[in-house]
Amino acid sequence: MDDVARRHRRRGRTLLVGALLIAVVAGGVGGVVGTYLERNGGVGAIELPQTSDGVTGRAPDSVAGIAASALPSVVTLHVSGDSAQGTGTGFVLDERGHILTNNHVVDPAGADGDISVTFSGGETAKATIVGRDTGYDLAVVKVSGVSGLKPLPLGNSEEVRVGDPVVAIGAPFDLANTVTSGIISAKERPITAGGESGNVSDVSYVDALQTDAPINPGNSGGPLLDGKARVIGINSAIRSAGSGSESDGGQAGSIGLGFAIPINQGKRVAEELINTGKATHPVIGVTLDMDYSGDGARIGDGGDGGGSGVTSGGPADRAGMRSGDVITEVDGRRVHSGDELIVKVRAHRPGDRLELTLLRDGRERTVTLTLGSSGGD
């Protein structure tokens, strides 16, 4: 083969090898570009799809609607005194600046402490105590120089039914404007709280509404609202795992057992605190044997000197009740202890008539009396 032929064959092989190299490089580049495009969906910045129905309003009876209506009327209270401080919640009662909350919320202020009120929009104002009552665990404070106050409408706690939806608003762990929801789990739960220092006069007695709406420390004094954004209760206590009922000022959290003072009771007490600075307590005029371990509430004696546990001339005396009588029912509802009897009596007003069922010498009898009145703390 001559030299010319050999040169043509070598040139052909060189061109073939070159074509293969170009194909390999092109394939590699194509793979990289393809991978990039597959991962990023094309060339340019990424914009994720988003949907919207364009509706910004909410139904008035939805949780969001209730919250929007009520939040401007709910406040957070920061209270400080010489040896204690705390956070709680309250709500506006009228345009004059009266705010209802729990007594244990304002208690750290003592006689000369400081109470600061923060509204949902962030505005703050100083508050002074108008009146407080340990037996009902309620207090009214007042702010001055604040315009545009929006009172929360008050509902009727007697009309509440188990299973009704409710909304709670407060400042759990100082997280203001927190909204939770649930239902009324039960009514007329006899709850006692306070008295940690051993002072019986500091114990509050509540015939409470029970709710599973989450309530935590800081919710105290806040409103429990019905489906029309009306206050039906004042959130006041929780039961925590491994503990008894207590005001929610402790550090335990919600396990779905919260308790609220019915607003019908709260309204009466608030009116008395605003008008007179103190609340009256209904009484039947007896001294109870709080160490009695049987079923019911036993009327004790008059103390170390003996005598009667029935106040002379009082409602129980006029109804013919005696020391040793065991009260088992109030208006047809069972009571199992002295605490429960006090709770049931405190749920009424002075002047109300009560029917009491009692045991005397093994025989059951029924008496009717009109509740008397004692001054508040």
Side-chain angles (χ1 to χ4, degrees):
M1 184 181 298
D2 58 22
D3 292 336
V4 175
R6 283 195 293 270
R7 284 197 296 272
H8 279 295
R9 284 195 296 271
R10 285 197 298 271
R11 187 180 300 117
R13 287 196 297 270
T14 301
L15 290 174
L16 179 59
V17 171
L20 289 173
L21 288 174
I22 291 172
V24 170
V25 172
V29 172
V32 172
V33 173
T35 301
Y36 176 84
L37 292 176
E38 181 181 351
R39 290 180 178 176
N40 296 280
V43 179
I46 300 304
E47 184 172 347
L48 299 175
Q50 187 175 25
T51 61
S52 174
D53 55 16
V55 177
T56 57
R58 295 293 184 269
D61 59 351
S62 67
V63 173
I66 294 168
S69 173
L71 274 169
S73 306
V74 181
V75 303
T76 301
L77 289 85
H78 292 97
V79 182
S80 60
D82 292 336
S83 58
Q85 59 183 9
T87 300
T89 307
F91 58 92
V92 177
L93 288 174
D94 57 31
E95 295 178 351
R96 296 166 59 187
H98 292 111
I99 292 169
L100 183 60
T101 186
N102 281 134
N103 176 69
H104 73 261
V105 169
V106 302
D107 187 58
D112 349 322
D114 182 75
I115 302 175
S116 175
V117 171
T118 303
F119 292 85
S120 62
E123 306 89 347
T124 61
K126 295 296 182 182
T128 56
I129 296 176
V130 173
R132 46 186 290 199
D133 187 272
T134 57
Y136 289 112
D137 193 20
L138 290 171
V140 173
V141 302
K142 185 178 183 181
V143 294
S144 301
V146 180
S147 60
L149 293 176
K150 179 187 175 186
L152 266 182
L154 306 183
N156 185 349
S157 49
E158 289 296 322
E159 296 177 351
V160 172
R161 296 293 179 264
V162 173
D164 282 350
V166 290
V167 172
I169 302 179
F173 297 100
D174 208 10
L175 297 172
N177 306 328
T178 295
V179 177
T180 57
S181 65
I183 62 169
I184 293 293
S185 304
K187 296 177 60 177
E188 299 179 352
R189 290 294 197 202
I191 300 298
T192 59
E196 289 83 1
S197 63
N199 187 351
V200 176
S201 65
D202 286 340
V203 178
S204 61
Y205 300 87
V206 180
D207 206 20
L209 299 173
Q210 180 184 327
T211 179
D212 66 350
I215 296 173
N216 288 287
N219 273 106
S220 281
L224 186 68
L225 305 160
D226 66 10
K228 295 184 178 179
R230 300 173 301 193
V231 183
I232 55 170
I234 303 104
N235 300 316
S236 301
I238 60 175
R239 184 178 292 273
S240 301
S243 74
S245 297
E246 56 190 28
S247 65
D248 70 2
Q251 290 304 303
S254 171
I255 58 170
L257 290 174
F259 302 95
I261 300 169
I263 193 58
N264 288 18
Q265 186 177 79
K267 177 179 180 293
R268 177 183 75 80
V269 174
E271 289 170 346
E272 290 188 344
L273 293 177
I274 292 170
N275 293 327
T276 68
K278 62 180 182 179
T280 57
H281 298 163
V283 296
I284 61 176
V286 299
T287 299
L288 295 176
D289 178 4
M290 301 306 284
D291 294 324
Y292 178 67
S293 58
D295 192 48
R298 182 180 182 275
I299 301 176
D301 57 31
D304 294 337
S308 174
V310 178
T311 303
S312 178
D317 185 32
R318 293 193 296 270
M321 298 173 68
R322 304 176 187 172
S323 293
D325 287 349
V326 177
I327 301 168
T328 59
E329 294 182 8
V330 176
D331 285 340
R333 296 182 178 274
R334 296 286 301 184
V335 293
H336 302 284
S337 66
D339 283 342
E340 284 194 25
L341 176 62
I342 297 173
V343 166
K344 295 299 182 186
V345 170
R346 290 278 179 91
H348 292 80
R349 298 170 178 262
D352 285 352
R353 291 176 63 83
L354 289 187
E355 182 181 88
L356 304 180
T357 301
L358 53 89
L359 289 175
R360 179 186 300 168
D361 300 326
R363 299 182 63 181
E364 187 175 272
R365 63 183 63 204
T366 300
V367 300
T368 301
L369 54 77
T370 301
L371 290 173
S373 174
S374 69
D377 299 322

